Amino acid sequence: MASGGAAGEGEWLKVAQLRAAVEAQDAHAREVDNLTLRRFLRARDHDVDKAAAMLVKFLKWRRETAPEGFVPEAQVRRELSQDKVCMSGVDRAGRPILVAFPNRHYSANRDMAEFKSFIVYLFDKICARIPRGQEKFLAIVDIKGWGYSNCDIRAYIAAIEIMQNYYPERLGKALMIHVPYIFMKAWKMIYPFIDNNTRDKFVFVDDKNLQETLQREVDESQLPEFLGGKMPLVPLKDYVQQPHQAV
């Protein structure tokens, strides 16, 4: 299990070893900060060789996926128009909150290349909101109204693999709420593709425990209005931040 929290002297020593190993393979690694290196190290349970392989793969992928340093909005306009992801407030730990609505995603209308670009665009945006001193975000995934027309196993697996491989140690927790029974059949197909360090972060919340769980995680002032809080949702297409902050 990847450790969290503050790093000890031994961990920073491994970060230095990781930097040396990756810079020897890819000069672009010099631009990667130590906190990013630490996340990749933790994602591979402090195995420097495995973390180096993961990071080298990431650097190559990033250059190919976002050659300008970011995914242009025009590249994901159709995905953005569906309002399947919104920004909200912050949780009690100061982690920014992302709210997803899988019932607004239709497999028949999905173009996989655009969908993958959208996932990168989305993760870049939420990671840019993470404040100094915090490294993770909280996701609230509202599965209310989800049905077979929304079921898209290939897209779900693609999104999870992008998160695991290229945004390691960014997801703090994903609260899965209003979960219909039929969704669990899809989840059984997705689950084997989720790595051990990520599986525990998906928390399925019973309706009867929903308000108690939400209040434990998020103050009422920061909780989305549709869940009984006071924070309006901002669709991702309407969310504005400083242009192209570093991920």
Side-chain angles (χ1 to χ4, degrees):
M1 189 70 182
S3 62
E9 188 178 335
E11 189 174 42
W12 287 124
L13 181 61
K14 287 202 166 190
V15 166
Q17 292 170 353
L18 175 58
R19 178 176 292 285
V22 178
E23 286 185 3
Q25 300 176 66
D26 190 329
H28 291 89
R30 296 191 185 99
E31 301 163 18
V32 180
D33 64 48
N34 283 336
L35 292 176
T36 301
L37 289 169
R38 186 175 69 172
R39 283 195 299 275
F40 278 83
L41 186 63
R42 288 177 171 180
R44 289 297 176 262
D45 295 319
H46 297 88
D47 184 312
V48 173
D49 291 339
K50 288 181 180 178
M54 184 185 189
L55 191 52
V56 167
K57 183 182 175 185
F58 162 77
L59 290 168
K60 181 174 182 290
W61 168 84
R62 186 74 195 183
R63 289 194 293 273
E64 293 170 352
T65 305
E68 299 175 66
F70 60 92
V71 173
E73 187 178 318
Q75 195 172 313
V76 293
R77 197 157 279 150
R78 185 171 59 169
E79 286 285 332
L80 284 171
S81 71
Q82 296 164 28
D83 289 346
K84 62 182 78 171
V85 178
C86 298
M87 296 292 193
S88 188
V90 297
D91 70 4
R92 293 186 186 276
R95 301 178 296 194
I97 300 171
L98 172 157
V99 182
F101 298 97
N103 70 327
R104 298 177 183 176
H105 174 91
Y106 292 95
S107 57
N109 300 335
R110 181 263 298 146
D111 174 81
M112 183 58 89
E114 183 181 357
F115 179 78
K116 287 182 175 180
S117 293
F118 171 71
I119 294 300
V120 175
Y121 180 94
L122 154 67
F123 284 140
D124 282 358
K125 291 292 187 185
I126 190 68
C127 289
R129 283 186 60 204
I130 298 174
R132 187 177 297 276
Q134 179 56 266
E135 295 189 85
K136 301 176 189 288
F137 66 88
L138 174 76
I140 298 175
V141 185
D142 186 359
I143 313 175
K144 188 175 184 177
W146 185 93
Y148 287 117
S149 61
N150 308 118
C151 186
D152 195 349
I153 303 300
R154 281 187 65 219
Y156 300 158
I157 291 171
I160 285 170
E161 289 184 339
I162 288 170
M163 181 179 73
Q164 290 178 166
N165 295 335
Y166 306 125
Y167 297 85
E169 299 297 303
R170 283 304 204 182
L171 176 66
K173 190 178 290 186
L175 298 178
M176 314 292 280
I177 68 173
H178 300 139
V179 184
Y181 175 73
I182 59 168
F183 179 80
M184 297 314 296
K185 293 181 179 179
W187 186 251
K188 285 179 181 176
M189 289 185 268
I190 301 163
Y191 190 78
F193 293 90
I194 307 175
D195 68 33
N196 291 334
N197 287 339
T198 306
R199 286 176 177 176
D200 291 343
K201 297 174 182 179
F202 287 91
V203 179
F204 286 82
V205 184
D206 289 336
D207 287 351
K208 66 178 184 295
N209 299 325
L210 180 57
Q211 286 307 313
E212 178 189 347
T213 302
L214 291 173
Q215 287 167 17
R216 186 168 62 245
E217 297 284 347
V218 186
D219 185 79
E220 182 187 21
S221 67
Q222 298 295 310
L223 191 65
E225 290 173 332
F226 83 100
L227 293 173
K230 297 178 179 178
M231 181 65 68
L233 286 180
V234 179
L236 191 57
K237 71 175 186 293
D238 300 327
Y239 177 70
V240 179
Q241 64 186 156
Q242 293 301 312
H244 319 313
Q245 292 178 20
V247 176

